[in-house]
Amino acid sequence: AMEVESLTPDAGVVKRVEVPGEGEKPSAHARVYIHYTLRAGGKVLESSRGSNEEISFRLGREKVVPGLEILVRSMSPGEVAVGTLSGDYTLKSRGINQPVDVEVRLIRVDQEEGKKDYLRMTPHERLEAATKYKENGNKYFKEAKFKKAMTDYLRAQEYLHYVFVDEKGRDTRTAKVPENGDGSASEVQALEEMVKMVKISTFNNLALCYAKEGSNKKVVKYANDVLALDPRNAKALYHRGMARSNFGEMEEAKLDLQQAQKLNPEDVRVKNELGLLDKKIMSGKRREKRAYGAMFGFGSS
């Protein structure tokens, strides 16, 4: 049977491999060369097969339908796959609201083009790129386009991860500092501080996006990432407390929210949530008491 897998948490992009490929998948900003056929309701809407021209585009440039990019990122050269795109991942911008099937053959991948771009950047430029993606994400977030916001925050995260990495994967901070004495070391320190600030706000924003999506596990993950960098971050404690409460981890949730309240006594949200949580905990205890009572035969008769 053909293997079917969902490439997004909400099953907006579902992939079926027709012919497996081999080799490495495209890197974040690689140039890809494909042939594709687009169908909706069984009708072919468009196809690149008629012309012998392969279609090429750079990943991460938002030049193509989001679902197509997600599909291609998951493929190996030579692979043929069909992606069923629905919801936010389709051709809404072209007035097509129904799910579409796109069959793609990934002909080849130019990893270097994307890499060169990235490797040519200085650590400062990488931080700038990350900041730009983060701000773009904020814009989408304000428009309640959480999927798009998440895509940009995740791209920011990618850049932040590699700020201090050279083309051989070495940490440039431990490499020899040029002959300008302290200047460089303190500059690296200043840059690290800036990277840390952007990481904190990007991870907090991701936690918030996943909270909107109802992915409590991810909320906890990104809140933990923030707290690893800044243990007294009230926002992250709040996000984690809310997610834990949704998991039914009431006592842990209460500790998080109490700590958030200590750090930010003015925050009305935290105060309200603590009130609700106490009620939840109390009614849980009452239920428990009733259950035990009934078990030992002295329940209300």
Side-chain angles (χ1 to χ4, degrees), residues 288-300:
E288 224 166 73
K289 206 168 159 186
R290 275 203 301 275
Y292 280 121
M295 224 190 292
F296 294 117
F298 41 74
S300 51

Side-chain angles (χ1 to χ4, degrees), residues 224-238:
N224 283 339
D225 287 348
V226 173
L227 293 165
L229 296 166
D230 174 15
R232 295 168 58 80
N233 191 287
K235 258 188 199 166
L237 286 162
Y238 173 75

Side-chain angles (χ1 to χ4, degrees), residues 185-205:
S186 61
E187 191 191 352
V188 166
Q189 220 173 347
L191 192 59
E192 279 178 324
E193 204 41 52
M194 279 149 71
V195 168
K196 183 174 149 180
M197 302 298 290
V198 180
K199 273 185 177 172
I200 287 171
S201 63
T202 302
F203 296 161
N204 259 331
N205 294 350

Side-chain angles (χ1 to χ4, degrees), residues 88-113:
D88 291 341
Y89 303 95
T90 56
L91 302 164
K92 277 190 174 159
S93 57
R94 292 170 44 186
I96 297 171
N97 281 321
Q98 71 196 95
V100 295
D101 282 326
V102 59
E103 183 189 87
V104 174
R105 176 189 294 275
L106 180 55
I107 301 164
R108 60 196 169 90
V109 176
D110 179 358
Q111 303 279 24
E112 287 313 308
E113 184 175 340

Side-chain angles (χ1 to χ4, degrees), residues 168-183:
K168 294 205 168 69
R170 295 173 304 201
D171 187 327
T172 54
R173 288 166 298 186
T174 51
K176 290 275 178 282
V177 173
E179 278 67 79
N180 47 3
D182 287 341

Side-chain angles (χ1 to χ4, degrees), residues 121-135 159-160 163 191 194 198:
M121 289 181 160
T122 64
H124 276 286
E125 288 169 336
R126 291 172 192 176
L127 175 60
E128 255 167 54
T131 308
K132 215 156 65 195
Y133 274 126
K134 188 201 81 169
E135 284 165 0
Y159 275 102
L160 290 165
V163 170
L191 192 59
M194 279 149 71
V198 180

